[in-house]
Amino acid sequence: MAESSSQINESFFMFLFLSVTHDSSCILSEEQFMCSVCLDVLTDPVSTPCGHNFCRTCLTHYWDNTPRCLCPLCKETFTRRPELKINTTLREVVDHFKKKSSLDKPDVLCDACTGVKFMAVKSCLDCAVTFCKSHLEPHNNVPKLKKHKLINPVNNLEDYICQKHERPLELFCREDKMCVCQFCTETDHKTHNTVPIEDESREKKTQLGKTQSEVQKMIQDRLKKIKEIKHSLDGFSFQKSTEKEIADSIEVFTALIRAIERSQAELLQVMEEKQKAAERRAEGLIKDLEQEITDLKRRDTELEQLSHTEDHLHLLQMYPALSSPPHTKNWTDISTDTDLSIKTASTVLSQLQKNLNKKLNLTINIKFGEAVCTELKRSQQYSVDVTLDPDTAHPRLILCNDGKQVSYGDGIQNLPDYPKRFDRYPVVLGTEGFSSGKFYYEVQVKGKTYWDVGVARESINRKGQYTLSPQNGCWIVCLRKGNEYKACAGPTVILFLKEKPQTVGVFVDYEEGLVSFYDVEARSHIYSFTGQSFAEKIYPYFSPFTSVKGTNSAPLIISRIFKT
């Protein structure tokens, strides 16, 4: 079936919009966006049934003052007066065109007007005068004047005319790197290599495009450097938090702690002072980087505007100043790590705590075990009955009838391709999602060498590839190669577990942004994602991974938990 006129128009306007916004080599002219009634760029454009476009005010006024309702351009008559609706797609194209062409069409007043001066539409290089639409009329009708060179209106018209010969600057001398007129090539530049300024401008635009790419890369490099600086500080703050947790966990041994607390306090004070110094230094570096980014973005905007201008002379005059990236600091050798003395103090403190752990190993393990056991029991009070959702399961996964087990099958099942079904990775979600409160579930991973367990947000990508990370909407702990345990925290965190978990417990506190994993049999903590932000439903997430020649063929089994 053929497309309707409105559908074709909409497709065409979308093509125009993409051309204006994305194709720097596609320079659209003002005539393509001109209203044939007022002869100006369209304002609030509307379309007639015959496919022509006009300003809404112009077309309304035209129909109000004509006995018949017809198109002002092609004169097609309409039996009923069409209802006018603004073509929003075309309006966006026109607005973007106006913005892009603002450099080429500055606000310039007519030199020929007396009294109230009207806006100029063209400047004549032969007459050395700028004209409004009315005073430009002879240049469109008189044969001699038709040969004059017209450009978009400019205030500094003298810059476009040779001061020596009072002729238009139409050529570019490559030896002297300057614009010249035709008479100049017969005198001072007689033996020089001269080309039309349009040709030189086109070549310079290509070079400016390369410069703009360099500037944009410099902006990205500096944004990356800021991220590195902030990350180095975040890492140190995490280390201090870990040390505090260790100190809190051994409060019961006050006698022994008093013996070392003085040296520990001194080290912590040094670390805090160094941390503050590192933060001040980081703030200074970030401030310098942000200033450079601001300067580079300004240069990028100037290059973008210049690459679209049709004012070739202006481009060539500005080219020397913009053809190379601005002078900036070399950030390659500037370290974003915290001060070495911080690391030294941290190492001493860590060694001090290791020695303490050796002396109190048994008692500390008992104390930690009691704390984790209490935490796990508290989490189990929020147990929920989790079942697997077959509509989300990858076609290779085999689910038991009770929805409590999942394993990797030998072949692909012929299943409906629902929007919520995973089609790339062997994954299945729980049937019920959660958008508030706390919940806990357990899954048996016994006999497996690969598995993924955790939670995922409802909008996780189910078609095609994705990386396991909170940024991509999943909070996962996994096993690889039989003994490599990892938290997919983006970047991955390697987990060193004393025992091989047989059953993994997963606890979620939606409001606190907490996802914790436990080894249920060992009553030990595996890993926690903290400070997360959940803005939608999250679902239990399971992957038994692939099975090759019988390896890793054991299923994941959701445990039935009986609350005590």
Side-chain angles (χ1 to χ4, degrees):
M1 181 181 292
E3 290 183 304
S4 68
S5 175
S6 61
Q7 288 175 319
I8 294 173
N9 267 344
E10 184 175 351
S11 300
F12 174 68
F13 295 140
M14 184 55 65
F15 168 76
L16 280 180
F17 182 73
L18 294 174
S19 299
V20 172
T21 55
H22 296 292
D23 186 358
S24 60
S25 65
C26 180
I27 306 301
L28 299 173
S29 66
E30 183 177 302
E31 286 74 16
Q32 292 172 280
F33 303 106
M34 184 176 290
C35 171
S36 60
V37 177
C38 67
L39 301 179
D40 204 349
V41 178
L42 292 164
T43 300
D44 289 338
V46 293
S47 301
T48 59
C50 56
H52 296 121
N53 305 297
F54 306 91
C55 301
R56 182 172 62 174
T57 303
C58 293
L59 188 56
T60 301
H61 186 265
Y62 180 82
W63 282 347
D64 288 343
N65 291 276
T66 54
R68 290 185 301 164
C69 187
L70 48 80
C71 173
L73 189 60
C74 69
K75 306 304 178 184
E76 179 177 339
T77 302
F78 311 119
T79 55
R80 294 178 57 188
R81 181 165 175 167
E83 182 181 354
L84 297 179
K85 293 183 178 179
I86 295 175
N87 188 325
T88 55
T89 304
L90 179 56
R91 183 171 62 183
E92 290 180 16
V93 176
V94 173
D95 289 346
H96 197 87
F97 174 78
K98 288 178 179 178
K99 187 182 298 183
K100 274 186 170 292
S101 61
S102 61
L103 178 67
D104 293 332
K105 301 191 70 175
D107 292 339
V108 182
L109 299 178
C110 176
D111 293 333
C113 286
T114 58
V116 178
K117 290 184 176 291
F118 290 95
M119 298 299 296
V121 293
K122 292 291 180 181
S123 292
C124 177
L125 297 181
D126 294 275
C127 300
V129 176
T130 297
F131 298 105
C132 65
K133 183 178 178 180
S134 176
H135 287 111
L136 183 66
E137 192 62 28
H139 281 73
N140 296 326
N141 300 315
V142 179
K144 184 178 180 181
L145 295 179
K146 282 184 177 181
K147 298 179 181 180
H148 285 193
K149 186 172 182 61
L150 300 176
I151 63 171
N152 286 325
V154 292
N155 283 311
N156 53 331
L157 191 55
E158 63 276 5
D159 292 344
Y160 294 76
I161 299 172
C162 176
Q163 299 302 306
K164 184 175 182 180
H165 302 111
E166 297 184 352
R167 299 296 302 164
L169 296 170
E170 300 176 302
L171 302 169
F172 184 81
C173 175
R174 288 181 169 172
E175 271 82 357
D176 295 330
K177 302 291 187 296
M178 62 183 295
C179 297
V180 297
C181 71
Q182 187 65 46
F183 288 171
C184 291
T185 62
E186 299 171 5
T187 54
D188 298 343
H189 301 267
K190 186 175 183 179
T191 60
H192 292 182
N193 179 17
T194 57
V195 295
I197 61 172
E198 291 82 2
D199 294 347
E200 186 68 15
S201 174
R202 189 161 41 249
E203 184 175 321
K204 289 295 189 288
K205 281 185 180 181
T206 302
Q207 296 173 9
L208 285 174
K210 296 178 181 178
T211 303
Q212 187 177 10
S213 297
E214 294 175 7
V215 169
Q216 291 171 349
K217 183 178 183 304
M218 292 172 71
I219 292 173
Q220 295 304 316
D221 289 344
R222 279 149 182 77
L223 290 172
K224 183 179 178 181
K225 199 72 175 181
I226 289 175
K227 188 175 181 180
E228 290 176 3
I229 293 172
K230 291 181 178 178
H231 180 71
S232 68
L233 295 176
D234 291 342
F236 182 70
S237 298
F238 174 78
Q239 183 182 16
K240 288 205 301 182
S241 176
T242 303
E243 290 157 359
K244 185 178 184 302
E245 289 174 4
I246 293 174
D248 290 343
S249 70
I250 59 174
E251 285 180 350
V252 67
F253 311 107
T254 54
L256 187 56
I257 290 177
R258 286 196 189 102
I260 64 170
E261 65 182 0
R262 178 173 299 176
S263 57
Q264 185 181 28
E266 291 174 354
L267 285 170
L268 285 173
Q269 183 178 357
V270 171
M271 291 173 69
E272 288 176 357
E273 291 174 354
K274 294 297 182 181
Q275 170 70 6
K276 290 179 181 178
E279 289 175 351
R280 288 194 296 270
R281 179 172 180 267
E283 288 174 359
L285 292 174
I286 290 173
K287 185 176 180 181
D288 291 345
L289 282 162
E290 289 176 340
Q291 181 59 51
E292 285 197 4
I293 289 172
T294 299
D295 295 341
L296 289 167
K297 284 184 176 180
R298 186 184 303 114
R299 175 62 61 86
D300 182 51
T301 301
E302 293 171 348
L303 289 168
E304 174 70 16
Q305 292 177 333
L306 202 59
S307 67
H308 291 88
T309 183
E310 291 182 337
D311 189 339
H312 309 295
L313 184 63
H314 178 70
L315 184 148
L316 295 174
Q317 291 171 337
M318 295 297 295
Y319 179 80
L322 297 177
S323 59
S324 60
H327 176 70
T328 55
K329 186 183 296 184
N330 182 5
W331 293 92
T332 307
D333 298 328
I334 296 180
S335 173
T336 60
D337 289 337
T338 49
D339 192 86
L340 181 61
S341 58
I342 297 179
K343 296 181 179 179
T344 304
S346 176
T347 302
V348 173
L349 181 57
S350 297
Q351 187 60 47
L352 189 63
Q353 290 166 336
K354 286 180 181 178
N355 293 337
L356 178 61
N357 285 342
K358 289 178 182 178
K359 295 177 183 178
L360 306 174
N361 186 51
L362 178 60
T363 313
I364 289 176
N365 284 340
I366 293 173
K367 194 67 180 176
F368 272 122
E370 290 175 352
V372 173
C373 186
T374 301
E375 185 179 346
L376 180 56
K377 285 182 179 179
R378 189 184 304 116
S379 299
Q380 289 173 330
Q381 296 302 310
Y382 299 95
S383 299
V384 294
D385 184 19
V386 175
T387 56
L388 303 173
D389 183 357
D391 291 343
T392 67
H394 184 278
R396 276 193 177 272
L397 296 184
I398 307 298
L399 275 59
C400 288
N401 292 334
D402 63 356
K404 296 292 184 181
Q405 296 188 34
V406 57
S407 57
Y408 191 81
D410 295 330
I412 299 178
Q413 305 172 81
N414 185 17
L415 300 174
D417 186 19
Y418 295 129
K420 63 179 182 177
R421 187 183 303 284
F422 289 85
D423 68 356
R424 181 60 183 262
Y425 301 119
V427 174
V428 60
L429 300 183
T431 302
E432 184 180 359
F434 301 86
S435 57
S436 63
K438 305 172 184 177
F439 67 92
Y440 174 87
Y441 74 89
E442 293 177 356
V443 55
Q444 296 179 36
V445 296
K446 183 178 180 180
K448 297 193 66 60
T449 54
Y450 289 79
W451 51 258
D452 300 340
V453 172
V455 293
R457 68 188 178 202
E458 188 171 24
S459 63
I460 186 173
N461 180 28
R462 307 184 190 211
K463 308 296 182 184
Q465 292 182 329
Y466 60 89
T467 302
L468 295 175
S469 70
Q471 291 79 8
N472 291 327
C474 53
W475 294 263
I476 305 298
V477 165
C478 66
L479 170 64
R480 298 289 183 264
K481 301 179 182 179
N483 60 2
E484 296 180 3
Y485 294 92
K486 303 176 182 179
C488 304
T492 299
V493 176
I494 305 299
L495 304 176
F496 299 96
L497 307 182
K498 291 183 178 180
E499 301 180 40
K500 187 180 179 68
Q502 304 299 304
T503 302
V504 175
V506 182
F507 172 73
V508 176
D509 186 331
Y510 194 96
E511 281 72 24
E512 288 295 324
L514 171 69
V515 183
S516 292
F517 297 82
Y518 299 94
D519 180 341
V520 177
E521 281 78 9
R523 318 297 285 177
S524 61
H525 176 259
I526 296 176
Y527 185 79
S528 287
F529 293 89
T530 60
Q532 305 300 303
S533 178
F534 304 128
E536 56 185 277
K537 275 190 177 183
I538 55 177
Y539 291 79
Y541 179 106
F542 309 88
S543 174
F545 219 76
T546 57
S547 174
V548 181
K549 296 181 179 180
T551 61
N552 195 43
S553 59
L556 291 177
I557 305 173
I558 300 173
S559 302
R560 297 184 184 275
I561 305 171
F562 300 95
K563 299 180 182 180
T564 58

